[in-house]
């Protein structure tokens, strides 16, 4: 099947490109938070801010991204997921150019629009020097051609893809039929996405040598599961797969063959909850089902936005408070938080492609409210996870302490998080938490306002409504007890967390 031959060639090629592997396991990834970028849209080589057509290359590069790692790390992220790196079709098409990277035509070459092999290697090294991790988006389901399905010039693809027999016959997907989802073509209109016969092992190792810490596997639901398992085995790094579906049992099928999957079922619930369309009971029910059904929810990749979906800010308008509550939940619930670039600048693009705005429009403003806020959330997360043993914090599941129409309280390790979905209008209702792990009689502190609350029987306490405009607007509170459960001292998060 050509497996060994392609493996050796590619190992050689990719080792040249990226240097030695620093593979990270699922257990290591679950302690990280990920920042997702579309390379073309994140930063240019020289820091310039060109105007561009939203469906063409805008000029972002790996070098540009490397130069902006301070910005990403300054918010607290420990990993960066970059869009696909391989060579793509060059032509303008019905849907514009391949700036996003999902229209590969040669997996053996890099996309020159994003830089040279040395540039990518340099990005990888720079991340590792900062103790950050690199996740690369990989597409094994298809290649692309800008010819009608019956006229695809297969000879233009490199071996072993240079013949029609390496691909399935063109057909349109019937989403009710899994064989059709796996074998038909994701798109048959121009430019068609030519479906690779992934079950041929020759393809597996194309990716084996991507010398990165983790992989985001595009279109996982379109690849037969036995092949996904082979792929996971072959690459030997953490893989999170994209199976775009609302159903928990459906997405669960992909954890096993792969380490992890994008938590699309949770995403649907988050959007509905934090835009105020559903109650917290609904979210709590999804969380409970996921806990029961998945083998490990802590390695699923959770998100509020991504490059395929309308951004949160496009749904909630001016209501920054909803964004704050949603991202608070994201950072403290079970699973790996993934933030799509620009969320912190309140980019509000709706459907693809306007949700892929050039980042330079924000001027990389580190004073932006959400930028500062997310960096604070990271500080709290670090504090909470190091107050107890870090690995036990990240392997434990968040516990829902209670819900009301306006609030949800969650406990994770030493922290209770109270989020609200009422938005900027706030609420005058307090929230009674009947039981928590806090010691009765101890004092707990709201990490944002520094106000304190006394814990009653069974760990019960009252989370007061926000007083005064600032708190009222935020409509949530975070509580953390001292290590020994005794009296608390304030933590001034604006000036950095103080442990004493
Ligand atoms: C281009 C244009 C768009 C245009 C589109 C037709 O063509 O840019 O403006 O609307 C890449 C590019 C896109 C490009 C496409 C196609 O290629 O990024 O800009 O769109 O040329 C992945 C990536 C995505 C990427 C590709 C292709 C795949 O994240 O960025 O797109 O490599 C399916 C796939 C999923 C894929 C997604 C785009 O399409 O499964 O892997 N994403 C149902 C199906 C889903 C399906 C979805 C969209 O429709 O179940 O499998 O996703 O077609 C819910 C249900 C869902 C349901 C949704 C719609 O409703 O629970 O199951 O999803 O309630």
């Amino acid at each position: 099947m050509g497996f060994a031959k392609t493996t050796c060639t590619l190992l050689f090629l990719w080792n040249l490109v990226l240097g030695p592997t620093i593979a990270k396991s699922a257990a290591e990834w679950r302690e990280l938070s990920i920042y997702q970028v579309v390379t073309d849209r994140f930063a240019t080589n020289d820091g310039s801010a060109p105007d561009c057509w939203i469906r063409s290359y805008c000029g972002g590069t790996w070098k540009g991204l490397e130069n902006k790692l301070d910005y990403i790390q300054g918010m607290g992220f420990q990993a960066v997921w970059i869009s696909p790196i391989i060579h793509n079709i060059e032509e303008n098409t019905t849907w514009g150019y391949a700036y996003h990277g999902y229209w590969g035509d040669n997996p053996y070459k890099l996309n020159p629009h994003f830089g040279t092999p040395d540039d990518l290697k340099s990005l990888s090294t720079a991340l590792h020097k900062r103790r950050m991790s690199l996740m690369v988006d990989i597409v094994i389901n298809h290649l692309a051609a800008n010819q009608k399905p019956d006229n695809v010039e297969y000879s233009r693809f490199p071996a072993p893809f240079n013949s029609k027999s390496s691909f399935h016959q063109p057909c349109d997907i019937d989403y009710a039929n899994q064989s059709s989802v796996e074998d038909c073509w994701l798109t048959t209109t121009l430019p068609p996405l030519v479906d690779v016969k992934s079950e041929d092992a020759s393809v597996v190792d194309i990716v084996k040598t991507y010398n990165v810490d983790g992989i985001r596997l595009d279109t996982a639901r379109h690849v037969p599961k036995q092949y996904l398992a082979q792929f996971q085995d072959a690459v030997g790094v953490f893989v999170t797969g994209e199976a775009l579906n609302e159903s928990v049992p459906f997405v669960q099928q992909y954890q096993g063959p792969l380490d992890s999957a994008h938590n699309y079922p949770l995403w649907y619930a988050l959007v509905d909850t934090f835009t105020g369309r559903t109650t917290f009971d609904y979210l709590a029910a999804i969380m409970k089902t996921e806990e029961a059904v998945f083998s490990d929810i802590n390695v699923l990749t959770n998100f509020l936005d991504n490059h395929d979906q309308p951004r949160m800010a496009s749904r909630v308008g001016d209501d920054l408070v909803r964004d704050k509550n949603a991202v608070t939940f994201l950072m403290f619930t079970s699973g790996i938080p993934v933030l799509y670039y620009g969320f912190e600048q309140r980019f509000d693009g709706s459907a693809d492609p306007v949700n892929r705005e050039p980042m330079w429009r924000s001027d990389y403003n580190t004073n932006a409210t959400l930028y500062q806020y997310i960096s604070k959330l990271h500080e709290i997360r670090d504090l909470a996870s190091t107050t107890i043993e870090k690995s036990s914090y990240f392997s434990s599941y968040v516990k829902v302490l209670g819900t009301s129409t306006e609030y949800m309280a969650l406990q994770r390790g030493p922290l209770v998080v109270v989020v609200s979905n009422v938005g900027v209008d706030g609420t005058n209702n307090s929230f009674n938490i009947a039981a928590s792990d806090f010691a009765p009689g101890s004092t707990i502190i709201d990490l944002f306002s520094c106000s304190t609350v006394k814990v009653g029987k069974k760990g019960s306490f009252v989370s007061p409504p926000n007083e005064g405009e600032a708190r009222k607007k935020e409509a949530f509170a975070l509580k953390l007890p001292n290590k020994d459960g005794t009296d608390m001292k304030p933590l001034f998060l604006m000036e950095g967390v103080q442990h004493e």
Side-chain angles (χ1 to χ4, degrees), residues 55 95 99-100 102-103 137 139 142 175 186-187 191 193 216 218-222 242 244-247 268 307-308 352-353 356:
R55 290 191 185 274
W95 299 109
Y99 67 89
H100 42 68
Y102 292 98
W103 298 341
D137 203 327
V139 190
H142 52 261
Y175 276 99
L186 187 58
T187 313
L193 299 177
R216 181 264 184 182
D218 186 67
T219 29
R221 72 174 293 195
H222 301 271
E242 182 217 16
L244 201 174
N245 202 281
E246 195 170 354
S247 146
Y268 280 99
H307 60 298
D308 289 337
D352 157 18
R356 301 165 181 188

Side-chain angles (χ1 to χ4, degrees), residues 281-314:
D281 287 346
Y282 171 67
L283 178 59
I286 296 282
M287 290 165 74
K288 201 169 168 193
T289 309
E290 291 208 327
E291 199 177 314
V293 169
F294 283 102
S295 58
D296 183 3
I297 50 175
N298 274 323
V299 296
L300 300 180
T301 39
N302 298 334
F303 57 96
L304 299 169
D305 290 341
N306 69 25
H307 60 298
D308 289 337
Q309 306 297 346
R311 287 180 180 273
M312 193 75 175
S314 73

Side-chain angles (χ1 to χ4, degrees), residues 273-274 279-284 403-404 406-408 419-421:
T273 307
F274 286 100
T279 65
F280 277 114
D281 287 346
Y282 171 67
L283 178 59
T403 55
S404 72
E406 296 156 330
Y407 293 112
M408 172 182 257
V419 285
S420 153
N421 71 348

Side-chain angles (χ1 to χ4, degrees), residues 30 298 334-335 388 391-398 411-413:
R30 75 180 165 208
N298 274 323
S334 311
I388 56 173
S391 59
S392 83
Y393 176 89
F394 286 109
S395 58
S396 68
Y397 287 173
V398 82
Q411 175 130 27
R412 188 145 193 211

